[in-house]
Amino acid sequence: ANQLAHHLIALGVQPDTRVAIALPRGIDMVVALLATLKAGRAYVPLDPDYPTERLAFMLADSAPRVLVTRSSVRPALGPLPQDLPALDLDAPSRPWENQPEGNIEADAIGLSPAHLAYVIYTSGSTGRPKAVAVEHRQLAHLVDWHARAFELRAGERSSSVAGTGFDAATWETWPPLCVGATLVLPPAHVGRDTQALLDWWHCEALDVSFLPTPLAEQALARTLGHPRLRTLLTGGDRLRPLPARHPSYAVINNYGPTEATVVATSGVVQQPGQTPHIGRPIDHTRIYILDTHGAPVPIGVAGEIHIAGVQVARGYLNCPELTAERFLPDPFAAEPGARMYRTGDLGRWRIDPHGDSTIEFLGRNDQQVKLRGFRIELGEIEARLREHAGVREAVVLAREDQPGHPRLVAYVVGEPAQPETLPETLRAHLAAALPEYMVPAVYVPLDALPLTPNGKLDRRALPAPNERHFPLHLYEAPRMGIERALAKVWSQVLGVSRIGREDHFFELGGHSLLAVRLQSLSAQRGLHMTLHDVYAYPTLRAQAARLSGTEDSSQPQALAARRDGAAAPLFAVPTGTGHIAYAFELGAHMDADVPVYALPWPQTMPASMDALAAYMVSLMRAKQAHGPYRLLGYSSGGLVAYAMAQLLAELDEPVEFVGLLDCRNPKMPPVQETQEERARHLLVGHLLELVQQDVYSGQDDLQQAVRLLEEKSPITDWAELVAWAEALPALQALAQQGETTIAQFAASCLRMADYEKLWPTYLPQRLPAPLKLHLFYATEEAQLPPPLGWDRLLSSEQVDVVPVAGTHMSMMQPPHITALGRAISQALSATQRRFKLLPH
């Protein structure tokens, strides 16, 4: 960090100038943030998962002097300003390594407490995000207060789970490091899986930890204990009453907008069953609750919360009018020039049974809402909707038609070309420009917006949405008993009364938190499925078939990861273990105009690779009768995608795109082992990979259990071996942490061994020109140099090699999956343009 700080200064960066940091969560990110502060500059965090258009606006608006990033993140940022120097931390040339390693004195660089420390973008009512400018003195006070208030000491452990683009990440990062404590980052494989994140959090040795309100509520609901935690901090949304029993740790509810440097009030939640308060003002901070005339309201009376004191930020970057509107002179302060921030939040003072005064948060008085912990300006979504050619007027509300499950609902007035596809069209339009959490689940068309007698919008008269306002498909009633039972659970989770067989969970407004709830409520009714099942089988019919073990009870078909889009669909084949969830995860990071379908393995593996390719082609042609076709394969499953392209060429069907994700061209050695012996070796290898991860490292009993499995010989009965492995206590604990069972691990390994036996039956042929192979390879774990053995078959002109950050596994996890999705989208777009110019 010191070397990078010296290098930033050498580039001419001065106090109050900005350094944009576009990096995934990890050590590099912390180093870059720390280096920027050491250099006396202000960092601007850019979340690589945001849409390119939003990131481009942030770069242009913040006008950074330098960009710190990685090559894998570059595609997500779009074209960079020509005058913006970019430091790639993974570049071969690393000039900062020649800089001194010593600290930089503040006086030497002219740094004062009033200089900027960071700039954070939040949702903006004008249709564009707005940037909050926070100074070093506000950040320093936050760190000092946190360390004292929660007695955080050197040698203790604290976590960081908030997204890099949110101010909570600032609060999580600096207090532990400044007192010599350990900052614990969740491993990459946790990704966006809420359940996996909570499992990690519960097993990690932590002393003080922050969880955003929705995650904290789930943690409290599933367990009230933690092996080490003494203090759980939460905030970001309205906290529901605590469970009747106290947890084993203190729960601290915190409140504060970005404009007040993360935290303005804080307090211990002590009364189970009662509405939690947001505590009292923190040190050197004042809270005023004022009426519409700016006068303080009595205790128990609602008013608007105003924040004053050292925590109040400088203002909004490049928005003097908005700064003047929200950052007001403090009429109650003794010192001249004092300011207060008008939050737009409603609250009231109350006296608790002990005679202490606390603040009760009551919600918003404007168009800003908090949804699942995210701060959202509804006006920004409305402005984006009005950009669509078929929309004249738009209003967005956060409705809670189902108690405890608010969702965004868009009301639109206009003349869409195809009213029946309006939800899909507008959802795709918004997804291209806004983060996923800002895209409404429901779209209600209106002839006109309802108005009050004086001509203002009557929000209370906006109708509640019904089933036709969701992205529904032709209704087909649930058939068998499992489908009907599962439809009731869907209805309860999504708040939709009529669920059809082909309805898609995520198109009806489902998201990761609701997926967890669907899994939980289904299990209570004896319908047990994993989170993987929810993603891999997102339609009601497919989920029911999965639950009943009759996936082949209806005609096998391609599973829609995303149905929307006018472009030719992309068909993804499973990995060697039959894993197809990657298509659903990857589809969310690709061009919204490209439909994505997953082709499942057959129930019984054919006798040859050519027969398997023919089977997969038949599934694809049932969805798309003729080419041009687009194919994608991950890991060893890419061999099937290649074989499919080979078969389609023999059938004179045009193939536009063949993409392989970290798939090598094997030399096809004959398989000497039996299927069960090979499956045992795969199982041991998979478990050893888990043991080597940070979450499980150092657990000697677990490593010993895997070694016992590796040494057990001979195999007389596969089921007997699996039962023996499941009985080992260490492997039982590992399976529970991984949300699966050893039997499920073993089943996937058996499928892989079944698939590998086809390899010797297949002889890859050269693809016909001008078709190219697009090879996306993981740069951090390449078993072979690129192009991973495909040069034995194809010329260099016929292989387009695209490096992707991460390992074979982590390339499919945030943040690398975002860059991978965009790289695939760019390759598809370029290939489509080239294909249209070719004679057919």
Side-chain angles (χ1 to χ4, degrees):
N2 283 342
Q3 290 178 308
L4 186 56
H6 280 288
H7 187 65
L8 291 174
I9 293 174
L11 292 174
V13 180
Q14 301 296 323
D16 256 28
T17 56
R18 282 142 334 253
V19 175
I21 298 176
L23 291 168
R25 186 202 306 277
I27 297 300
D28 281 354
M29 178 192 72
V30 178
V31 168
L33 296 174
L34 184 56
T36 305
L37 292 181
K38 281 174 171 284
R41 283 50 179 171
Y43 60 80
V44 185
L46 304 177
D47 191 333
D49 283 339
Y50 281 179
T52 300
E53 181 181 348
R54 192 177 186 87
L55 293 173
F57 170 80
M58 292 177 179
L59 276 172
D61 184 64
S62 62
R65 181 66 182 83
V66 179
L67 168 67
V68 181
T69 185
R70 292 176 66 93
S71 58
S72 59
V73 177
R74 285 282 200 104
L77 303 175
L80 298 178
Q82 293 184 351
D83 59 347
L84 178 61
L87 301 181
D88 285 346
L89 296 187
D90 57 349
S93 174
R94 302 162 66 86
W96 53 87
E97 293 184 345
N98 299 321
Q99 294 287 348
E101 296 183 0
N103 278 313
I104 300 168
E105 295 298 329
D107 292 343
I109 55 177
L111 179 65
S112 78
H115 281 125
L116 282 183
Y118 64 83
V119 173
I120 293 275
Y121 278 85
T122 68
S123 181
S125 58
T126 62
R128 296 288 184 183
K130 58 181 181 288
V132 180
V134 176
E135 298 166 339
H136 278 268
R137 56 186 169 188
Q138 288 117 34
L139 177 57
H141 177 264
L142 176 72
V143 171
D144 178 67
W145 165 79
H146 177 102
R148 287 186 291 104
F150 307 119
E151 299 179 344
L152 188 59
R153 297 178 291 271
E156 294 192 321
R157 294 164 64 87
S158 186
S159 64
S160 177
V161 301
T164 58
F166 293 93
D167 61 347
T170 293
W171 185 30
E172 291 178 302
T173 301
W174 301 125
L177 296 181
C178 286
V179 302
T182 299
L183 181 67
V184 186
L185 305 179
H189 73 272
V190 167
R192 296 179 176 178
D193 189 333
T194 303
Q195 200 75 11
L197 178 61
L198 288 175
D199 284 345
W200 168 83
W201 176 84
H202 186 265
C203 296
E204 189 63 46
L206 300 170
D207 297 284
V208 177
S209 174
F210 169 80
L211 289 178
T213 304
L215 285 177
E217 289 178 339
Q218 289 196 45
L220 290 165
R222 60 186 285 185
T223 176
L224 296 176
H226 190 281
R228 175 165 165 175
L229 190 72
R230 73 164 189 272
T231 304
L232 171 62
L233 309 172
T234 188
D237 210 339
R238 202 176 201 170
L239 184 65
R240 298 176 192 171
L242 293 186
R245 291 190 301 113
H246 274 292
S248 62
Y249 41 82
V251 179
I252 313 292
N253 197 23
N254 302 274
Y255 161 81
T258 305
E259 291 84 348
T261 319
V262 191
V263 182
T265 72
S266 180
V268 180
V269 181
Q270 295 177 326
Q271 297 296 325
Q274 294 186 4
T275 301
H277 56 73
I278 56 173
R280 293 182 49 77
I282 69 171
D283 295 350
H284 306 295
T285 301
R286 301 183 298 276
I287 297 294
Y288 310 130
I289 300 182
L290 309 178
D291 62 20
T292 55
H293 303 289
V297 298
I299 291 176
V301 176
E304 183 175 0
I305 298 174
H306 293 65
I307 303 171
V310 69
Q311 289 295 95
V312 177
R314 177 185 294 184
Y316 297 113
L317 189 69
N318 303 327
C319 296
E321 296 86 1
L322 185 58
T323 298
E325 177 187 334
R326 307 296 292 198
F327 292 83
L328 309 174
D330 183 356
F332 310 103
E335 66 272 18
R339 299 176 308 143
M340 62 181 183
Y341 173 67
R342 181 166 64 87
T343 66
D345 291 330
L346 297 176
R348 64 184 173 194
W349 290 102
R350 71 183 193 184
I351 305 297
D352 66 20
H354 304 284
D356 297 325
S357 59
T358 56
I359 300 169
E360 181 181 355
F361 179 78
L362 301 175
R364 293 290 300 176
N365 69 351
D366 57 14
Q367 279 199 290
Q368 188 185 110
V369 299
K370 284 286 188 70
L371 197 65
R372 301 197 300 277
F374 296 106
R375 171 174 162 177
I376 300 171
E377 289 281 3
L378 300 178
E380 182 175 358
I381 308 173
E382 293 169 355
R384 289 293 184 178
L385 281 169
R386 286 191 289 268
E387 292 175 357
H388 191 275
V391 176
R392 291 198 308 272
E393 296 179 273
V395 174
V396 178
L397 298 182
R399 296 185 63 108
E400 196 168 342
D401 298 301
Q402 184 182 10
H405 294 280
R407 63 187 173 197
L408 294 177
V409 178
Y411 297 86
V412 294
V413 177
E415 297 176 358
Q418 295 179 304
E420 66 279 2
T421 62
L422 179 67
E424 293 88 345
T425 301
L426 294 182
R427 183 178 179 86
H429 168 73
L430 292 177
L434 297 176
E436 181 183 356
Y437 64 85
M438 293 181 68
V439 179
V442 188
Y443 300 82
V444 181
L446 300 174
D447 295 330
L449 295 177
L451 303 177
T452 63
N454 60 5
K456 295 184 178 181
L457 175 67
D458 188 354
R459 295 179 180 273
R460 290 179 297 180
L462 290 168
N466 56 44
E467 285 77 6
R468 62 189 179 89
H469 302 135
F470 289 85
L472 292 173
H473 307 282
L474 185 64
Y475 178 74
E476 183 180 356
R479 294 179 183 174
M480 55 183 176
I482 290 182
E483 285 186 1
R484 289 192 290 270
L486 190 59
K488 292 179 180 178
V489 182
W490 276 40
S491 181
Q492 183 178 351
V493 171
L494 298 170
V496 178
S497 60
R498 192 177 75 163
I499 303 292
R501 298 187 77 223
E502 297 303 324
D503 285 342
H504 194 290
F505 181 76
F506 298 99
E507 291 177 356
L508 293 182
H511 49 73
S512 59
L513 295 180
L514 290 182
V516 173
R517 187 163 186 258
L518 174 64
Q519 181 197 26
S520 174
L521 292 181
S522 298
Q524 293 176 17
R525 291 159 176 77
L527 305 173
H528 297 281
M529 56 183 170
T530 66
L531 280 177
H532 168 80
D533 291 336
V534 179
Y535 284 97
Y537 303 92
T539 65
L540 182 74
R541 180 197 58 77
Q543 278 185 17
R546 177 68 171 172
L547 286 165
S548 62
T550 58
E551 292 95 331
D552 59 343
S553 60
S554 57
Q555 189 66 26
Q557 60 179 318
L559 299 175
R562 182 172 61 217
R563 305 168 191 257
D564 307 2
L570 178 68
F571 292 92
V573 302
T575 65
T577 62
H579 175 70
I580 59 173
Y582 81 89
F584 293 78
E585 297 156 2
L586 190 59
H589 299 276
M590 290 176 51
D591 184 347
D593 203 37
V594 179
V596 180
Y597 288 90
L599 304 174
W601 275 157
Q603 288 297 305
T604 302
M605 196 63 70
S608 69
M609 184 72 79
D610 289 337
L612 177 59
Y615 171 84
M616 304 300 276
V617 166
S618 68
L619 293 185
M620 182 175 65
R621 296 183 79 171
K623 186 64 63 176
Q624 180 186 344
H626 298 287
Y629 291 108
R630 295 168 156 188
L631 305 172
L632 186 70
Y634 174 32
S635 190
S636 62
L639 297 178
V640 182
Y642 192 93
M644 292 170 66
Q646 192 175 307
L647 174 60
L648 289 166
E650 295 172 1
L651 297 174
D652 290 328
E653 282 285 3
V655 178
E656 180 179 295
F657 177 84
V658 181
L660 303 188
L661 309 178
D662 213 41
C663 172
R664 62 185 178 91
N665 179 20
K667 294 182 179 179
M668 307 297 179
V671 178
Q672 301 293 341
E673 301 171 304
T674 67
Q675 180 185 0
E676 292 184 346
E677 286 288 351
R678 178 58 181 159
R680 195 263 297 270
H681 289 156
L682 290 169
L683 176 60
V684 168
H686 183 59
L687 293 175
L688 281 175
E689 284 183 11
L690 288 179
V691 170
Q692 292 164 4
Q693 292 178 7
D694 291 342
V695 177
Y696 310 110
S697 61
Q699 298 184 17
D700 296 336
D701 56 340
L702 180 56
Q703 297 188 38
Q704 182 182 6
V706 177
R707 293 299 180 191
L708 283 173
L709 176 62
E710 185 177 28
E711 295 166 2
K712 186 172 177 60
S713 178
I715 294 178
T716 56
D717 182 86
W718 177 254
E720 179 184 325
L721 173 77
V722 172
W724 175 83
E726 284 196 300
L728 294 175
L731 292 189
Q732 287 180 337
L734 175 65
Q736 290 169 1
Q737 293 180 52
E739 292 185 353
T740 185
T741 64
I742 297 299
Q744 289 170 318
F745 275 136
S748 65
C749 294
L750 205 59
R751 283 195 299 271
M752 182 68 191
D754 202 23
Y755 169 59
E756 282 187 352
K757 72 183 182 184
L758 303 185
W759 292 12
T761 70
Y762 177 54
L763 182 63
Q765 302 293 324
R766 181 184 296 272
L767 292 175
L771 180 60
K772 296 179 68 174
L773 178 67
H774 297 265
L775 179 65
F776 304 84
Y777 79 98
T779 58
E780 298 176 22
E781 196 183 44
Q783 297 177 345
L784 293 170
L788 306 187
W790 292 102
D791 51 345
R792 299 196 299 266
L793 186 63
L794 303 172
S795 66
S796 58
E797 293 79 15
Q798 215 171 351
V799 183
D800 183 15
V801 177
V802 183
V804 179
T807 65
H808 185 72
M809 299 294 291
S810 69
M811 68 185 294
M812 282 297 177
Q813 298 161 351
H816 304 317
I817 192 172
T818 301
L820 175 60
R822 291 195 173 100
I824 295 173
S825 298
Q826 291 172 358
L828 286 170
S829 178
T831 305
Q832 184 180 26
R833 289 194 298 270
R834 187 172 68 249
F835 190 85
K836 288 181 178 178
L837 298 175
L838 297 174
H840 300 308

